Amino acid sequence: PFKMMPTVSLPATPVLLLSGAQDPMIPLREANRLAETLTLADAKLTHETFAAGHGLTQDDLTHMTRFLAAQE
């Protein structure tokens, strides 16, 4: 995790952030911190948290597919 989040500007940039509530590598508080940073950067953020650890799940793939289809 970043000690200090970088300053970025992402106006209207679509960003998908999928978090695992039991992720041992990226704790949920850090994922939420990143979500806050992206929101402050004006990104068009979609942040979903699943009851999962660190790895791709079928829920992740389903949400990624929908997110990407919406960008077309």
Side-chain angles (χ1 to χ4, degrees), residues 19 46 63:
S19 304
T46 301
H63 278 76

Side-chain angles (χ1 to χ4, degrees), residues 7-35:
T7 302
V8 295
S9 178
L10 302 167
T13 303
V15 176
L16 176 63
L17 176 60
L18 303 176
S19 304
Q22 290 86 34
D23 189 332
M25 298 182 76
I26 303 171
L28 191 53
R29 70 180 178 278
E30 292 298 325
N32 289 337
R33 192 169 150 229
L34 176 58

Side-chain angles (χ1 to χ4, degrees), residues 16-23 28 47-64 66:
L16 176 63
L17 176 60
L18 303 176
S19 304
Q22 290 86 34
D23 189 332
L28 191 53
H47 183 199
E48 300 286 341
T49 301
F50 300 104
H54 190 84
L56 290 175
T57 66
Q58 188 58 49
D59 281 339
D60 292 323
L61 297 175
T62 299
H63 278 76
M64 285 188 297
R66 286 184 192 148

